[in-house]
Amino acid sequence: MKLDTKSLRYLNPTDWRTLTAVETGSRNHEVVPTPLIANLSKSSVGDVQRSISLLAKANLIAKVKNAKYDGYRLTYGGLDYLALHSLQKSNTVYSVGNQIGVGKESDIFVVSDEKGEQRVLKIHRLGRVSFKKGVRNKRDYARTKTQKERGAGSWMYMSRLAAVKEYAFLQALHDAGLSVPIPLGQNRHQLVMSLIDGFPLRQIENVPDPAGLYAELMEILVRLCSLGLIHGDFNEFNLIIKEEQEEEGEGIRLVPVLIDFPQMVSVDHANAEFYFDRDVECVKRFFARRFGFTSTEEGPLFKDARKQLGREGRRLDVEVEASGFSKKMAKELETYMKDHGIDGDARDAETNDEEASESGAAASDNDDEVVDEGASDIG
Ligand code: ADP
Ligand code: MG
């Protein structure tokens, strides 16, 4: 989804209050009636009317004709603005640059801070449905099916949960010294982290020492497990390889950096072993196919890795829960993702690798996308 930041600098304080009022009203109204917007924004009706038409024109809110009354709802654009505005106020983001990634459930942008230093902004977009050509007629079906669960703005809530989860894990992993981006800020459905200067493993055609890199990746999986965690989407899409000058000599070292955490689970999760094995298998398969490397060693096995639990005296799964991403939130997000067939990048790795790398068509099924947030009922 495009992020049009053009109007960001032109909104006045009443506009922001009005936009915030629509967001607040959306928590328990599918369609927020105009008098409620005026009331929540504590502005005069005239000012609010002016703001409403400006916000609607900029597609930050959308008019909805309801059976009982007319009103407005927040759009993804409006939520983007609110989150960006907060990140700007906290000096986390100064300006927004190019989009570097379009996932099924997220958009990735390069942003910069006041000094011009580049960072990464990840925007979670659950509830956005991407339809492949030819399955267009499923659209109406998908709409009616999600209508009732839209209730308290479920796309908004779920996208925020995904960002909160990803940020909580990013902080814990960074704090424990794992090779991950530096967490810099989070607001609503967005998070900001350092930009890793490298390429996803997926784009790397050969490495000087496949066995060494493979061993290093397996050690990361085992170390995560010893800290109480399983990544759940550990594969060539979510490992960025950066080059580092070796301290002694001229050599260059390849350093894997792990990203993309909305699927992480605790080692106590009912399907922990399944996720652990899948992570191991993804790396195995990729190394065999891309580098012709197959390890002579079996495993690592979940039961062995789990025996190392607590070897560093920390359990990040427990820490994350204590930091505010509760079991209940984890369950809600997991249920939503399961119900919507969201299963990370691993499935793409299994099914699309050959065709995609030959035709370079990795991201081509994204050109017919719909924001499933009730766009059909705009009056
Ligand atoms: P998704 O959930 O859509 O898979 P990811 O977090 O995996 O999102 O990011 C998608 C892509 O964006 C990555 O494969 C990578 O190329 C790029 N990317 C994400 N985060 C960073 C970062 N911190 N630094 C550099 N590139 C990044
Ligand atoms: Mg990813």
Side-chain angles (χ1 to χ4, degrees):
M1 198 183 121
K2 272 220 212 92
L3 178 61
D4 182 0
T5 54
K6 210 169 52 231
S7 313
L8 206 49
R9 289 176 203 287
Y10 301 110
L11 300 188
N12 68 32
T14 310
D15 302 334
W16 284 114
R17 272 205 304 280
T18 306
L19 190 57
T20 307
V22 177
E23 182 191 38
T24 309
S26 297
R27 293 200 188 120
N28 39 29
H29 289 77
E30 205 168 317
V31 180
V32 191
T34 315
L36 181 61
I37 300 173
N39 196 335
L40 287 169
S41 68
K42 299 192 171 65
S43 312
S44 74
V45 176
D47 283 351
V48 167
Q49 286 294 1
R50 242 185 322 261
S51 287
I52 283 180
S53 49
L54 186 140
L55 296 172
K57 219 184 207 156
N59 289 324
L60 304 179
I61 60 174
K63 185 162 189 174
V64 186
K65 288 187 198 296
N66 191 313
K68 297 189 200 101
Y69 58 88
D70 288 359
Y72 292 85
R73 63 172 180 85
L74 196 68
T75 64
Y76 246 127
L79 190 65
D80 286 350
Y81 267 47
L82 286 166
L84 267 178
H85 189 56
S86 299
L87 289 169
Q88 285 184 327
K89 278 197 292 195
S90 62
N91 291 325
T92 314
V93 173
Y94 180 73
S95 65
V96 179
N98 290 336
Q99 183 160 8
I100 55 167
V102 189
K104 285 187 289 278
E105 284 88 28
S106 74
D107 288 324
I108 315 273
F109 295 87
V110 172
V111 297
S112 52
D113 68 2
E114 249 158 325
K115 293 185 217 107
E117 196 192 310
Q118 294 193 315
R119 304 173 156 193
V120 163
L121 171 75
K122 180 167 180 177
I123 308 184
H124 281 276
R125 301 204 189 280
L126 297 190
R128 171 173 71 181
V129 188
S130 172
F131 293 94
K132 294 192 176 177
K133 288 197 178 68
V135 257
R136 226 170 207 282
N137 52 359
K138 287 218 180 108
R139 180 183 294 190
D140 290 336
Y141 168 69
R143 272 252 164 76
T144 45
K145 208 178 133 202
T146 53
Q147 201 95 37
K148 69 173 186 299
E149 63 189 30
R150 197 171 294 142
S154 87
W155 58 273
M156 229 188 282
Y157 178 66
M158 289 301 162
S159 300
R160 183 172 74 82
L161 267 194
V164 168
K165 175 173 182 181
E166 177 149 41
Y167 198 70
F169 280 95
L170 184 58
Q171 279 183 309
L173 294 170
H174 182 257
D175 190 55
L178 273 109
S179 177
V180 295
I182 303 167
L184 298 169
Q186 184 262 321
N187 191 274
R188 295 178 173 83
H189 60 321
Q190 304 184 349
L191 62 142
V192 181
M193 60 191 137
S194 61
L195 174 77
I196 306 302
D197 182 15
F199 294 98
L201 180 57
R202 163 138 180 111
Q203 288 176 24
I204 295 179
E205 291 305 325
N206 50 61
V207 291
D209 177 18
L213 183 59
Y214 177 87
E216 211 174 321
L217 296 180
M218 292 302 158
E219 177 46 34
I220 294 176
L221 285 174
V222 172
R223 179 158 184 229
L224 280 173
C225 203
S226 79
L227 289 162
L229 297 176
I230 296 163
H231 186 277
D233 199 15
F234 194 91
N235 51 58
E236 66 272 23
F237 296 90
N238 294 328
L239 284 157
I240 302 183
I241 306 295
K242 84 179 174 195
E243 294 185 348
E244 238 168 44
Q245 198 73 39
E246 267 175 353
E247 297 203 347
E248 293 147 37
E250 320 265 278
I252 282 182
R253 222 174 77 76
L254 298 184
V255 181
V257 182
L258 188 56
I259 58 164
D260 205 358
F261 311 105
Q263 309 232 115
M264 284 202 114
V265 294
S266 157
V267 288
D268 292 336
H269 188 280
N271 300 325
E273 182 162 15
F274 168 81
Y275 290 123
F276 182 85
D277 289 348
R278 188 172 73 175
D279 282 357
V280 171
E281 274 313 308
C282 275
V283 176
K284 278 201 169 148
R285 206 178 306 117
F286 180 76
F287 269 67
R289 201 155 48 197
R290 181 66 58 89
F291 307 128
F293 171 80
T294 308
S295 174
T296 49
E297 277 175 52
E298 214 206 318
L301 300 176
F302 178 63
K303 67 170 172 28
D304 298 332
R306 205 181 183 291
K307 278 190 202 129
Q308 313 227 17
L309 187 58
R311 78 176 180 201
E312 292 175 45
R314 291 181 76 163
R315 283 203 55 166
L316 301 185
D317 53 341
V318 177
E319 287 179 30
V320 163
E321 204 187 312
S323 81
F325 187 73
S326 66
K327 271 210 179 75
K328 182 171 162 273
M329 290 160 90
K331 192 85 211 140
E332 275 178 306
L333 183 63
E334 189 182 347
T335 306
Y336 181 91
M337 286 168 69
K338 210 158 146 201
D339 288 352
H340 289 74
I342 300 169
D343 198 16
D345 300 325
R347 217 162 16 162
D348 298 344
E350 281 164 34
T351 55
N352 293 341
D353 192 56
E354 257 108 53
E355 316 100 72
S357 57
E358 276 161 29
S359 63
S364 68
D365 58 315
N366 239 318
D367 48 7
D368 188 22
E369 74 183 26
V370 188
V371 178
D372 182 24
E373 45 170 274
S376 64
D377 45 13
I378 301 169

